[in-house]
Amino acid sequence: MKLNQKSFAGSAAKAARECRIFYFCGPDEAGASDAANRIASLLGDAEKVEMSGAELKRDPVRLADEARSVSLFGDKRIIHIRANGDDAFDAVETLLSSPVDGWPVLIVATSATDKSRIAKLLGNQPGVMVAMFYPPDLKSITDAVRDMGDAVGVKINGSLAERLARASGMDTRMARSEIEKLALFLDASPQAPREATAAAIDEICATNEDDSLMPLVNVVLGGDARKLPGELARMREMGLNPVGLLLAFERRAAQLVQLAARMGERGDVNSFIEQEVSSNRIFFRDRTDLTAQLRRWRGARLVRLTERLTMLHRTLISDSRNGELALAQGLAEIARAAVR
């Protein structure tokens, strides 16, 4: 069964019933992880067994052993694997050769696509689902936010849903967490729905910088060279997905392109940004960062920025093993260009 982010929602229940191996890949790592959680919830309560692709690369037989093993208390098990590229290939190949179906296996593969070796290996195998998640657009994430709200009894209008989508860095996992907090704050439920308000979002939604990718985006595009080493260190410490992080840069660059087009030949960036905030076209907390970035990235410089990000994206997709190093080098180059 082959799916993508558009067909997944309508086919998830069928996949959970019919498949035992689930492979989630694509540049939208957040969407892939959220989909894996959805399948896990459909499979029901079970003991969660977590493994990494690096562990399975060292011990390829372990996955098949775990899938066949019996829980100490006789509970149902679900095997969750966080892979990087094709590092779990040998383990998946061994699993497929096992004569016993075993427990369900969910694989979230960062820096991989439906053209990866594992995806090709799984191919049209019976009882297998391969789902590819492409970079999300603002409309689809906004719609997803509203659907998430409806599921827990929080009614969210279009502008607030878009605000949550932007504030969560287009990450559906973070957006879901914020909506769950909203439901608790509003005492909402499907049986007793409540209307979300801007005041409620201001009151409880996360403002901690480490909750998003934007601090690094703002440091690089703002040319703040002094903070760059610390942010790159945080990127490594938190294990931020290189492709997911680069998508945040691409979304901000696209936003700057739109702002530059609306601004035209006007020279007063401050006044223009204030107008955009007043018109609710940009989030008020982004005012300072967008002002600084729009001053630096306009015209030919903005064109070169988007081209550089596109080239960097291709590099990450083609060489997943060195993705973190390539991204760090690329971001350092962009930060130096922002200073000039």
Side-chain angles (χ1 to χ4, degrees), residues 70-313:
V70 178
S71 169
L72 181 62
F73 300 102
D75 298 329
K76 181 180 178 181
R77 313 181 91 195
I78 300 177
I79 314 297
H80 291 253
I81 300 169
R82 177 70 60 172
N84 187 7
D86 283 315
D87 56 4
F89 178 83
D90 292 338
V92 175
E93 189 174 43
T94 302
L95 175 66
L96 288 176
S97 65
S98 173
V100 180
D101 284 347
W103 301 114
V105 175
L106 279 62
I107 306 168
V108 177
T110 60
S111 304
T113 70
D114 56 358
K115 301 296 189 294
S116 68
R117 292 176 68 208
I118 293 179
K120 291 179 179 178
L121 173 67
L122 295 174
N124 294 316
Q125 295 267 359
V128 171
M129 185 206 78
V130 175
M132 174 78 170
F133 291 83
Y134 296 93
D137 57 79
L138 181 59
K139 183 181 183 305
S140 64
I141 298 299
T142 299
D143 291 343
V145 165
R146 300 189 74 175
D147 290 342
M148 291 175 197
D150 290 340
V152 295
V154 178
K155 294 185 176 296
I156 309 173
N157 65 35
S159 62
L160 290 180
E162 182 175 328
R163 173 179 164 181
L164 281 171
R166 291 184 185 277
S168 62
M170 308 282 276
D171 187 321
T172 51
R173 295 166 301 181
M174 188 180 298
R176 188 181 302 279
S177 174
E178 299 299 274
I179 290 167
E180 289 171 352
K181 287 192 291 184
L182 265 177
L184 287 172
F185 182 77
L186 297 170
D187 193 24
S189 70
Q191 295 74 32
R194 299 285 187 271
E195 194 81 27
T197 64
I201 292 175
D202 287 339
E203 187 73 23
I204 60 94
C205 287
T207 57
N208 188 330
E209 285 192 336
D210 285 348
D211 286 342
S212 74
L213 306 174
M214 293 314 295
L216 180 52
V217 173
N218 291 328
V219 162
V220 171
L221 297 183
D224 195 344
R226 293 175 301 172
K227 293 183 179 179
L228 183 59
E231 282 298 318
L232 291 177
R234 186 174 69 87
M235 176 185 77
R236 291 188 293 271
E237 290 168 2
M238 294 182 66
L240 297 178
N241 173 248
V243 175
L245 179 56
L246 186 59
L247 286 171
F249 277 89
E250 292 174 345
R251 288 191 291 269
R252 175 52 60 88
Q255 186 179 16
L256 290 172
V257 169
Q258 293 173 352
L259 290 172
R262 287 201 294 267
M263 183 173 175
E265 298 299 321
R266 284 178 283 179
D268 191 343
V269 176
N270 282 333
S271 296
F272 171 71
I273 292 294
E274 289 301 326
Q275 291 173 8
E276 294 294 295
V277 172
S278 300
S279 301
N280 293 319
R281 283 192 287 265
I282 64 175
F283 188 35
F284 72 94
R285 288 198 181 107
D286 293 335
R287 176 194 290 115
T288 302
D289 293 316
L290 284 172
T291 299
Q293 291 160 23
L294 193 57
R295 286 199 179 103
R296 286 174 168 81
W297 304 103
R298 294 176 65 186
R301 285 171 60 84
L302 184 53
V303 171
R304 287 195 295 272
L305 172 64
T306 57
E307 291 173 347
R308 182 70 184 93
L309 291 173
T310 300
M311 291 174 59
L312 193 53
H313 196 140

Side-chain angles (χ1 to χ4, degrees), residues 46-68:
E47 177 190 354
K48 183 177 182 180
V49 181
E50 295 185 277
M51 290 178 280
S52 70
E55 291 172 328
L56 294 176
K57 188 173 184 179
R58 292 191 296 268
D59 185 6
V61 179
R62 183 183 170 194
L63 175 58
D65 288 343
E66 290 286 356
R68 293 193 300 258

